[in-house]
């Protein structure tokens, strides 16, 4: 039996606010009670935005979301850019998300790969882009994997052929035949359990909150293959607006968010005027998958954000 990694001995609760597919729509003002997506957001430690910030890749659209993220009181706000026509403005967009103003507001821009962060309470995530083999040691600290890529879908940015596997390490047979067949080699396959705590992708895996209004399942088969190997605590995505929600979890729309507590044994927990649903999550055996798209399939910002409590390992060094 493999011994429990040392970094899992001590944990702390971390609250995440999950957003995706805001499509240039800033959060509504506090007085607009008709929209759950409004200021102020429920208290949270980390904000995760899973892409589709804009409609047309215009600079003003990114600045609008920047203001929404800056208004959050979270210690850390993580996002990646994955939008139509992005290639024309990517350099300028990076300047917005990686400049001094972003750093002062705790905003971090991700590209595909594994990153590490340290929160003030000691919980750690990875933010620096590194090669996967660095994380083969089970004593590594908790990690976040992010990818803006999705299978080909209309004219969306960062596409890949549905036959392509970006998320799993190549097999020995694939490696042997790679040079002769010009096979695709994934630049950033997701490390296997127990390395990754949180997976952020823009698109869903196949058959998980990926059903379109026409009844088609359009998620990624390779991602669906990877997740049982990776076994993260949380997988957040969007892309398919009508897929908003989480499988095997009651859809509870509250005033400003769906509240999910995965740190308690109780099924329900009172949070002020909100009622949370959940139950304690067992790392390595369970994953909460959330489609956090704010827009519905008609492009209306009517879906609620998600607030998720997770227990994460604490690194005492330097905390």
């Amino acid at each position: 039996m493999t011994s429990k990694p040392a970094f899992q001995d001590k944990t702390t609760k971390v609250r995440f606010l999950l957003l995706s597919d805001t499509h240039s729509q800033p959060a509504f003002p506090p007085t607009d009670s008709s929209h759950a997506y409004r200021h102020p957001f429920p208290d949270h430690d980390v904000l995760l935005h899973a892409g589709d910030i804009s409609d047309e890749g215009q600079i003003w659209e990114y600045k609008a979301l920047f203001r929404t993220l800056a208004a959050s009181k979270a210690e850390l706000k993580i996002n990646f850019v994955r939008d139509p026509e992005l290639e024309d403005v990517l350099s300028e967009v990076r300047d917005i998300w990686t400049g001094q103003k972003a750093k002062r507001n705790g905003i971090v821009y991700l590209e595909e790969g594994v990153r590490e962060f340290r929160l003030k309470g000691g919980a750690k995530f990875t933010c620096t882009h590194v090669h996967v083999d660095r994380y083969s040691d089970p004593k590594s600290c908790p990690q976040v994997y992010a990818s803006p890529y999705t299978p080909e879908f209309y004219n969306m940015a960062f596409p890949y052929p549905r036959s392509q596997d970006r998320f799993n390490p190549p097999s020995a047979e694939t490696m042997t035949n790679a040079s002769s067949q010009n096979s695709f080699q994934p630049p950033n396959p997701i490390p296997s359990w127990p390395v990754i705590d949180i997976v952020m992708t823009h698109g869903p895996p196949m058959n998980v909150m990926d059903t379109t209004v026409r009844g088609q399942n359009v998620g990624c088969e390779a991602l669906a293959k990877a997740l049982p190997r990776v076994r993260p605590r949380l997988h957040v995505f969007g892309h398919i607006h009508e897929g908003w929600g989480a499988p095997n979890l009651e859809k509870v729309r509250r005033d400003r968010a769906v509240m999910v507590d995965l740190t308690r044994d109780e099924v329900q927990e009172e949070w002020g005027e909100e009622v949370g649903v959940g139950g304690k999550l067992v790392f390595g055996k369970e994953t909460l998958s959330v489609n956090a798209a704010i827009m519905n399939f008609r492009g209306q910002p009517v879906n609620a954000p998600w607030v998720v409590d997770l227990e994460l390992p604490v690194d005492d060094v330097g905390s």
Side-chain angles (χ1 to χ4, degrees), residues 190-202:
I190 314 178
S192 297
W193 187 83
V195 174
I196 301 297
D197 284 277
I198 298 170
V199 171
M200 288 177 65
T201 58
H202 180 61

Side-chain angles (χ1 to χ4, degrees), residues 127-177:
C127 183
T128 303
H129 186 281
V130 291
H131 293 294
V132 63
D133 54 5
R134 175 180 166 185
Y135 295 96
S136 58
D137 185 346
K139 294 183 292 184
S140 299
C141 293
Q143 320 293 336
V144 175
Y145 175 91
S147 177
Y149 293 87
T150 56
E152 292 173 326
F153 191 73
Y154 295 103
N155 66 336
M156 298 299 178
F158 296 98
Y160 57 86
R162 286 194 167 272
S163 59
Q164 188 180 96
D165 186 348
R166 298 192 63 86
F167 302 107
N168 294 286
S171 64
E173 181 180 358
T174 301
M175 293 290 289
T176 301
N177 297 332

Side-chain angles (χ1 to χ4, degrees), residues 82-319:
R82 196 223 73 88
D83 295 298
E85 305 177 17
L86 177 62
E87 290 81 358
D88 295 337
V89 295
L90 187 55
S91 177
E92 193 171 352
V93 168
R94 281 202 182 99
D95 289 342
I96 293 172
W97 296 116
T98 61
Q100 289 302 313
K101 187 175 181 180
K103 293 177 182 178
R104 288 195 301 270
N105 283 282
I107 296 174
V108 176
Y109 166 83
L110 299 185
E111 295 181 350
E112 186 179 59
V114 181
R115 281 70 171 171
E116 184 171 285
F117 298 90
R118 184 194 301 273
L119 300 178
K120 292 178 181 176
K124 285 187 68 177
F125 303 88
T126 295
C127 183
T128 303
H129 186 281
V130 291
H131 293 294
V132 63
D133 54 5
R134 175 180 166 185
Y135 295 96
S136 58
D137 185 346
K139 294 183 292 184
S140 299
C141 293
Q143 320 293 336
V144 175
Y145 175 91
S147 177
Y149 293 87
T150 56
E152 292 173 326
F153 191 73
Y154 295 103
N155 66 336
M156 298 299 178
F158 296 98
Y160 57 86
R162 286 194 167 272
S163 59
Q164 188 180 96
D165 186 348
R166 298 192 63 86
F167 302 107
N168 294 286
S171 64
E173 181 180 358
T174 301
M175 293 290 289
T176 301
N177 297 332
S179 58
S180 60
Q181 297 181 4
N182 295 317
S183 298
F184 174 78
Q185 300 296 308
N188 298 293
I190 314 178
S192 297
W193 187 83
V195 174
I196 301 297
D197 284 277
I198 298 170
V199 171
M200 288 177 65
T201 58
H202 180 61
M206 177 63 76
N207 295 324
V208 180
M209 315 311 289
D210 69 331
T211 306
T212 69
V213 69
R214 297 179 179 178
Q216 298 173 304
N217 293 100
V218 294
C220 176
E221 293 183 3
L223 182 56
K225 175 184 175 182
L227 289 168
R229 174 179 58 79
V230 177
R231 290 184 274 170
R233 303 172 196 268
L234 173 66
H235 178 206
V236 56
F237 51 90
H239 192 39
I240 307 305
H241 297 179
E242 53 268 52
W244 176 90
N248 304 317
L249 191 65
E250 181 185 357
K251 287 187 177 181
V252 182
R253 184 182 185 279
R254 296 303 172 200
D255 182 41
R256 289 181 294 148
V258 177
M259 314 289 282
V260 182
D261 188 345
L262 299 180
T263 69
R264 303 289 187 95
D265 291 327
E266 295 86 353
V267 174
Q268 295 199 351
E269 190 72 23
E270 291 288 343
W271 291 341
E273 297 179 355
E274 311 279 0
V275 177
V277 298
K280 194 164 186 176
L281 180 140
V282 180
F283 182 41
K285 295 183 178 180
E286 300 171 299
T287 295
L288 174 63
S289 299
V290 177
N291 182 328
I294 293 298
M295 297 291 178
N296 66 8
F297 77 96
R298 297 183 186 276
Q300 300 167 325
V302 299
N303 292 334
W306 288 71
V307 173
V308 177
D309 281 355
L310 291 176
E311 278 190 2
L312 292 178
V314 171
D315 180 8
D316 289 321
V317 178
S319 60

